[in-house]
Amino acid sequence: MSKTYVEYDASDRIATITLNRPEAANAQNPALLDELDAAWQRAADDPEVRVIVLQANGKHFSAGHDIKAVGAGPSDSTLADIYAFESRRFLEYSLRWRNVPKPSIAAVQGVCISGGLLLCWPCDLIVAADNAVFSDPVVNMGIGGVEYHGHTWELGARKAKELLFTASSLTAAEAERFGMVNHVVPLDELRTAVRELATVIASKHPFALRQAKRAVNQTLDIQGFYSAVQSVFDIHQTGHGHALSETGMPILMLLDDMKASLGKSKS
């Protein structure tokens, strides 16, 4: 029997989707992402569900993409292969979750690195534990940013540039100050706080919730969100193409080398 990477529960008009790969800090392999997409669709299709909560077991929300599992090492993959894989699992999935017509809340604790942002940014609200840290350090890998470019929309242009240029991170309090996070709560109160918020939202009429979400998302799309995310995904792919031309791998620096480099810079 294959391992299940995502848990699902629905009660009191709230569907709770839980990442369940704590031994790997909920790093995302293809199986986890496919299970996660299926859980989102299950919640979207359930007429009893009014609110969707995304949370994670373990110390960390998500350490991002499982690079070994998604093929960042030497391989015979072409840029077309990479584009096809990432456009489905890293862009299409995130956009689909963003556009589910029911309100969604992400509960984030610990690290939320690069691909982890592709899980929480599509949610309508984010509640962070006070130990949450958000980052997208893929500039260290020769890539200009993770596949779903929410950076500019979530943080504003200047802070987005600083985050990307420096490969630095944001604390939960900083993320709240920039408007990326709705609330910051003590770690041991995270799930209770999210459940209370979801319960309040679930008490509202589902049609009104759907229309409210559509109004905000459509306003962002008119401002250019959807077109920008699509075009920046193509910019992301030029990073893979450049890396392939120089090293034969889709990134310039492997994760272990990046960790070693970061360790030296701190010493």
Side-chain angles (χ1 to χ4, degrees), residues 6-8 15 17 34-44 52:
V6 174
E7 299 174 346
Y8 183 93
I17 301 170
D34 291 347
E35 287 184 36
L36 180 57
D37 183 61
W40 271 95
Q41 295 311 304
R42 180 178 176 183
I52 301 168

Side-chain angles (χ1 to χ4, degrees), residues 161-196:
K161 288 176 183 177
E162 181 182 354
L163 184 74
L164 291 167
F165 293 172
T166 63
S168 56
S169 60
L170 293 174
T171 65
E174 289 171 328
E176 183 183 30
R177 188 166 74 248
F178 289 110
M180 194 187 94
V181 163
N182 294 86
H183 304 286
V184 178
V185 300
L187 175 61
D188 60 1
E189 298 176 13
L190 178 62
R191 292 195 176 183
T192 299
V194 169
R195 187 73 182 189
E196 289 175 352

Side-chain angles (χ1 to χ4, degrees), residues 11 19 28 68 85 87-88 116 143 194 225 236 244 253:
S11 62
L19 306 179
Q28 305 152 28
K68 293 179 181 178
F85 179 90
S87 64
R88 177 189 171 196
I143 307 293
V194 169
F225 172 86
H236 175 93
L244 284 168
M253 185 183 292

Side-chain angles (χ1 to χ4, degrees), residues 28-38 89-90 93 97 119:
Q28 305 152 28
N29 58 19
L32 182 148
L33 290 169
D34 291 347
E35 287 184 36
L36 180 57
D37 183 61
R89 289 191 170 95
F90 300 159
Y93 279 3
W97 305 334
L119 307 187

Side-chain angles (χ1 to χ4, degrees), residues 67-86 237 240-251:
I67 291 178
K68 293 179 181 178
V70 300
S75 69
D76 296 326
S77 295
T78 66
L79 183 57
D81 296 327
I82 297 166
Y83 191 100
F85 179 90
E86 294 194 348
Q237 297 305 314
H240 289 313
H242 174 251
L244 284 168
S245 71
E246 289 206 359
T247 67
M249 298 184 296
I251 56 177

Side-chain angles (χ1 to χ4, degrees), residues 5 16 19 42 65 68 80 118 128 130 205 216 226 231 249 257 263:
Y5 294 114
T16 303
L19 306 179
R42 180 178 176 183
H65 299 144
K68 293 179 181 178
L118 275 64
D130 51 13
H205 195 288
V216 176
Y226 182 79
S231 64
M249 298 184 296
D257 295 332

Side-chain angles (χ1 to χ4, degrees), residues 194-215:
V194 169
R195 187 73 182 189
E196 289 175 352
L197 180 57
T199 299
V200 171
I201 296 171
S203 69
K204 312 304 180 186
H205 195 288
F207 182 76
L209 293 172
R210 181 189 186 108
Q211 294 303 91
K213 177 168 180 172
R214 177 174 168 80

